[in-house]
Amino acid sequence: MSRNQGRRKRSEQSLEIPVTPMLDMAFQLLTFFILTYQPMPAEGQFVMNIMPAAPATDINAQSPETTQANPDVPAALRTLPTTLRAGEGGNLGQIILGENDIQGGMDELKQQLDEIFRDPTLPFDQTMIKVDPNLKYSALMQVIDVFSRAFNEAKKEPKLSFAELTGED
């Protein structure tokens, strides 16, 4: 009998876990994280300079005179074909404007474009530039700049299209 009573006493005894120190530690950690938290500044907030409420241009100002494209002429005939071929090292080697080979570089190209765009009998109001894939980007940008200036001086809207030069061209 003594053996059975000993087992009962052990099973009847409960294990006590001290909760107070755990709660103290939890509140200390919570307090620590609340006091040391540094929120990051909100993303996407930046100072913007807003334009004034007044219009940038005079509403009553005359618009520049532009020549409108003749709708009777097909777009293919209004397009000035231009071919840019790469030379040695990817530099600009050859410029073909329409059917004419331009020999004098950018100055000659600018002069030819001025003549073409100022001639009222020529219907060109847009350009298709076929570019050699080996041509350097900087050389292409120089040509685009010359075309844009020529269009602007002729008071025409610059319309440039691009295509990659293939083996058949």
Side-chain angles (χ1 to χ4, degrees):
M1 243 173 133
S2 65
R3 286 184 182 178
N4 290 335
Q5 288 177 349
R7 287 185 185 174
R8 281 186 194 160
K9 287 182 182 178
R10 286 183 190 163
S11 62
E12 290 177 3
Q13 291 179 347
S14 63
L15 198 63
E16 290 188 30
I17 299 175
V19 179
T20 308
M22 284 195 303
L23 288 174
D24 287 344
M25 186 59 135
F27 282 112
Q28 286 178 0
L29 285 172
L30 180 64
T31 305
F32 171 78
F33 285 116
I34 288 174
L35 294 176
T36 60
Y37 176 68
Q38 297 288 329
M40 297 298 293
E43 292 182 21
Q45 291 184 353
F46 50 90
V47 178
M48 292 177 35
N49 293 329
I50 299 175
M51 297 298 292
T57 59
D58 184 14
I59 295 173
N60 299 324
Q62 296 288 334
S63 61
E65 295 178 21
T66 57
T67 56
Q68 296 296 324
N70 186 349
D72 298 333
V73 178
L77 295 178
R78 293 191 323 257
T79 304
L80 178 62
T82 305
T83 304
L84 305 176
R85 294 189 188 279
E88 188 175 321
N91 294 321
L92 189 58
Q94 182 183 26
I95 303 172
I96 301 172
L97 186 63
E99 296 176 357
N100 302 327
D101 190 9
I102 306 295
Q103 298 295 328
M106 296 298 162
D107 294 331
E108 179 69 22
L109 175 63
K110 175 77 168 93
Q111 191 175 25
Q112 292 289 325
L113 287 173
D114 287 341
E115 290 176 15
I116 290 171
F117 290 149
R118 290 194 176 141
D119 188 349
T121 61
L122 296 176
F124 298 122
D125 65 346
Q126 56 192 8
T127 302
M128 168 57 86
I129 301 176
K130 293 184 180 180
V131 183
D132 188 334
N134 298 322
L135 185 67
K136 286 184 178 178
Y137 181 74
S138 60
L140 175 61
M141 291 309 296
Q142 289 175 346
V143 172
I144 292 171
D145 185 50
V146 169
F147 269 94
S148 296
R149 280 189 277 138
F151 270 113
N152 289 334
E153 288 175 9
K155 294 185 170 55
K156 293 184 177 185
E157 182 182 345
K159 296 179 186 174
L160 301 173
S161 301
F162 301 92
E164 186 174 327
L165 192 61
T166 59
E168 302 116 26
D169 296 325

